[in-house]
Amino acid sequence: GEHSVEKDEKLKILYQALDQLPPDKREILVLSQLEEMEYKQIAEMYQITENLARVKVHRALKSLKEIFQKFVR
């Protein structure tokens, strides 16, 4: 029904917002959110500390939310 259309719209916007992100931020978000990788795994992959991996994911999420808000308005 109506609900799924709205969900599809939001997904479409989400992917458009992802496209606007710098590649490094986009990549880390895809790994953490879509691939559901743990910070530990991300840290090993990028050869950074787990703490830094967490910070990078949070920054990327924040950027994504800001872009998402612009699309939704």
Side-chain angles (χ1 to χ4, degrees), residues 13 17 63-73:
I13 296 167
S63 300
L64 185 67
K65 276 187 190 137
E66 285 165 9
I67 295 165
F68 191 75
Q69 296 300 325
K70 285 181 202 155
F71 274 110
V72 175
R73 259 183 225 143

Side-chain angles (χ1 to χ4, degrees), residues 46-62:
Y46 285 96
Q47 296 179 318
I48 56 176
T49 64
E50 200 173 324
N51 214 22
L52 189 56
R54 189 173 287 122
V55 168
K56 280 181 177 284
V57 169
H58 283 284
R59 281 195 193 136
L61 274 172
K62 191 169 175 268

Side-chain angles (χ1 to χ4, degrees), residues 11-72:
L11 263 182
K12 211 155 73 182
I13 296 167
L14 186 64
Y15 281 107
Q16 286 175 331
L18 264 178
D19 273 347
Q20 305 282 316
L21 279 180
D24 55 327
K25 282 188 174 175
R26 183 168 63 227
E27 193 175 89
I28 210 161
L29 268 188
V30 167
L31 295 175
S32 69
Q33 306 301 307
L34 303 177
E35 310 267 332
E36 292 180 1
M37 250 192 204
E38 291 175 16
Y39 293 122
K40 197 174 144 221
Q41 295 169 291
I42 293 170
E44 281 167 12
M45 206 177 129
Y46 285 96
Q47 296 179 318
I48 56 176
T49 64
E50 200 173 324
N51 214 22
L52 189 56
R54 189 173 287 122
V55 168
K56 280 181 177 284
V57 169
H58 283 284
R59 281 195 193 136
L61 274 172
K62 191 169 175 268
S63 300
L64 185 67
K65 276 187 190 137
E66 285 165 9
I67 295 165
F68 191 75
Q69 296 300 325
K70 285 181 202 155
F71 274 110
V72 175

